[in-house]
Amino acid sequence: MLRVAVVGSGPSGVYTAQALVQQDLVPGVHVDVLDRLPCPYGLVRYGVAPDHEKIKSLQGTLRAVLEDERIGFLGNVEVGARGLTPARLLELYHAVVYCVGAARDRRLGIPGEDLAGSRSATEFVAWYSAHPDAAGDGFGLGARSAVVIGVGNVAVDVTRILARTGHGLRPTDVPQGPLAALEHSGVREVHMVGRRGPGQARFTTKELRELGTLPGVSVAADPADLALDPAFADPSDLPAVNRRNVEVLRGWAAQPEGGGRGRRIRLRFFLRPAELLGEDGRVTGVRFERTEPDGSGGVRGTGRYEDVEAQLVLRAVGYRGLALPGLPFDEAHGTVPHDAGRVLRDGVVSPGEYVAGWIKRGPTGVIGTNRPCAKETAASLLADAPTLAAREAAPDPVAALRALGHEPVAWTGWLAIERAEAELGRSLGRPPVKIPDWDGLRTAARSAA
């Protein structure tokens, strides 16, 4: 039997496990999918917005893979500085595939970024998604005005959740604390701001259009911003998604701005954050430099500035891979060096070590992009199978993990967490509600025994 560990139970990890067992070249492959959390599914559970039920339903597809008898789930097992070292893990398995994603958000690198009220969109998403590492501090939703810096899908998600202020989220799995905070939110205006033009924005049209469907929320796009983009007048040469985005924005720019007591979303472009303004240690606004097209697809500063009031600032300017102690790491690209998924140490293939997903290729693509990426890595590993099988591996890796002091949460433990979340939801008159803390998750998992 060829024993493989896959580190990470998000889409890239699950697709890798599936590709390894659903092939005819190497018989007797068994895969253990390890995760630091007691729960599977990675960003599908902890990164997809709660009101995106269609995307969250992908959990059913991932679940079917993890229920395969040739695949085991082992949650609550950390690999890295505070857990198993990669070298020790490789002693337990014939091969290890790292699918650990890109866990670190990018910073702006401007003055005032560490003021209270300045946070990352990653933290905000983790909070309303009940990630057990999230800070439970209410996220400063007493703010009147919020600025979201970035124009990708994550920026659109957090803008939408801020503008919803809890409306319509009660039928979702948002934990009770964030739900209550959102329902009592004071946010009335959300600015979503990009440094380039509408033709270069990276959100999808479906996500963008959703902003215009929120009850009690008006959406405005500044015509003066949009007119700076040469593609705005004639978007025919843009890729299809960008062209549709421009068409949606053109419609919003033509509408009069909503007023009154409703909430408002303002979409702004050609503004680059230069400084977060503050008073008494808290953010009070953002100073932006006006940019303009540079004629080469980028932008340049104009030396003109604009201040936008905000008591809450969320940066959503991308993700970056995080070095895993014991694995080589390319700081420039935020990835592990590899050749078709085979980990390279000093330019030489490291036998038995592989990567897939964002830690392999960087934080690019959509969920489906992980399939071909996983298949490439699986093909490399299977081609190496004769050599890998000759290595020694633990006859029972789960027992070995327990002997090392770990408490793996098996699939039955995860099912117990699901039951506990269903019961929590019933007690609140809601559908299943996520357990938001480590103790709660581990206690629920232990009830499986």
Side-chain angles (χ1 to χ4, degrees), residues 46 72 77 82 91 155 161 184 198 212-214 237 257 263 273 287 290 300-301 315 319 324 349 359 379 391 405:
Y46 288 116
V77 177
R82 296 177 299 175
E91 293 174 0
I161 296 297
H184 293 91
T213 66
L214 301 176
D237 289 336
E257 285 199 29
R263 299 178 300 282
R287 177 159 294 162
R290 168 66 70 186
R300 60 181 170 234
R315 64 181 183 272
Y319 295 95
L324 191 68
V349 169
I359 200 64
R391 298 179 64 255

Side-chain angles (χ1 to χ4, degrees), residues 267-334:
L267 302 175
R268 302 295 310 276
F269 298 92
F270 292 110
L271 291 172
R272 179 166 56 200
E275 180 184 359
L276 299 193
L277 308 175
E279 187 175 314
D280 297 327
R282 291 199 61 85
V283 68
T284 58
V286 185
R287 177 159 294 162
F288 290 98
E289 181 183 14
R290 168 66 70 186
T291 61
E292 63 184 9
D294 64 3
S296 303
V299 294
R300 60 181 170 234
T302 64
R304 301 191 306 274
Y305 293 86
E306 176 180 334
D307 293 351
V308 176
E309 178 196 352
Q311 298 80 42
L312 175 64
V313 177
L314 299 178
R315 64 181 183 272
V317 292
Y319 295 95
R320 181 175 173 78
L322 193 63
L324 191 68
L327 277 185
F329 191 69
D330 181 343
E331 284 287 353
H333 298 93

Side-chain angles (χ1 to χ4, degrees), residues 79 86-87 96 98 100 323-330 336-337 343-345 350 353-355 359:
V79 178
V96 180
Y98 293 92
V100 292
L324 191 68
L327 277 185
F329 191 69
D330 181 343
V336 170
V343 171
L344 298 175
R345 292 181 180 271
S350 178
E353 294 185 308
Y354 302 83
V355 285
I359 200 64

Side-chain angles (χ1 to χ4, degrees), residues 19-377:
L20 287 169
V21 301
Q22 290 185 346
Q23 46 76 37
D24 300 321
L25 299 175
V26 181
V29 177
H30 182 87
V31 181
D32 283 335
V33 178
L34 281 59
D35 203 292
R36 185 176 72 90
L37 299 172
C39 310
Y41 311 138
L43 284 179
V44 177
R45 175 176 166 91
Y46 288 116
V48 174
D51 55 349
H52 277 177
E53 291 298 326
K54 186 173 182 181
I55 302 176
K56 288 177 73 69
S57 68
L58 177 63
Q59 290 186 19
T61 302
L62 303 181
R63 181 191 195 97
V65 176
L66 292 174
E67 288 180 333
D68 190 303
E69 62 183 6
R70 298 164 294 181
I71 297 173
F73 172 71
L74 299 174
N76 200 41
V77 177
E78 183 166 3
V79 178
R82 296 177 299 175
L84 279 171
T85 65
R88 188 71 183 93
L89 183 59
L90 192 56
E91 293 174 0
L92 305 183
Y93 292 89
H94 294 110
V96 180
V97 187
Y98 293 92
C99 306
V100 292
R104 180 173 55 182
D105 61 274
R106 293 182 182 274
R107 290 177 60 85
L108 299 170
I110 60 175
E113 189 167 7
D114 294 320
L115 286 166
S118 168
R119 309 284 288 272
S120 75
T122 305
E123 292 177 286
F124 186 58
V125 172
W127 173 69
Y128 67 63
S129 297
H131 195 292
D133 289 341
D137 57 4
F139 247 87
L141 294 182
R144 300 181 306 277
S145 177
V147 168
V148 178
I149 299 174
V151 284
N153 279 343
V154 173
V156 175
D157 273 351
V158 299
T159 295
R160 188 181 67 256
I161 296 297
L162 282 170
R164 290 189 78 135
T165 59
H167 181 88
L169 294 179
R170 191 164 286 273
T172 73
D173 59 8
V174 171
Q176 201 69 4
L179 177 65
L182 287 164
E183 288 179 334
H184 293 91
S185 169
V187 175
R188 289 296 174 265
E189 187 165 59
V190 185
H191 303 260
M192 188 171 77
V193 187
R195 63 184 177 86
R196 298 199 293 174
Q200 291 80 48
R202 303 188 68 174
F203 41 64
T204 57
T205 311
K206 179 179 181 297
E207 294 263 357
L208 180 64
R209 284 178 175 146
E210 282 183 301
L211 296 179
T213 66
L214 301 176
V217 179
S218 63
V219 183
D222 191 319
D225 288 354
L226 303 180
L228 290 172
D229 192 338
F232 183 70
D234 180 14
S236 58
D237 289 336
L238 291 174
V241 171
N242 303 74
R243 185 171 65 250
R244 290 193 294 267
N245 289 343
V246 168
E247 290 166 356
V248 172
L249 291 165
R250 181 183 283 122
W252 286 335
Q255 298 174 0
E257 285 199 29
R261 298 183 179 179
R263 299 178 300 282
R264 179 167 53 185
I265 295 172
R266 289 175 172 238
L267 302 175
R268 302 295 310 276
F269 298 92
F270 292 110
L271 291 172
R272 179 166 56 200
E275 180 184 359
L276 299 193
L277 308 175
E279 187 175 314
D280 297 327
R282 291 199 61 85
V283 68
T284 58
V286 185
R287 177 159 294 162
F288 290 98
E289 181 183 14
R290 168 66 70 186
T291 61
E292 63 184 9
D294 64 3
S296 303
V299 294
R300 60 181 170 234
T302 64
R304 301 191 306 274
Y305 293 86
E306 176 180 334
D307 293 351
V308 176
E309 178 196 352
Q311 298 80 42
L312 175 64
V313 177
L314 299 178
R315 64 181 183 272
V317 292
Y319 295 95
R320 181 175 173 78
L322 193 63
L324 191 68
L327 277 185
F329 191 69
D330 181 343
E331 284 287 353
H333 298 93
T335 57
V336 170
H338 70 94
D339 179 8
R342 297 178 177 93
V343 171
L344 298 175
R345 292 181 180 271
D346 297 323
V348 179
V349 169
S350 178
E353 294 185 308
Y354 302 83
V355 285
W358 279 2
I359 200 64
K360 170 186 174 185
R361 67 181 191 274
T364 60
V366 295
I367 290 174
T369 311
N370 290 296
R371 280 195 182 275
C373 176
K375 287 181 178 179
E376 179 190 56
T377 295

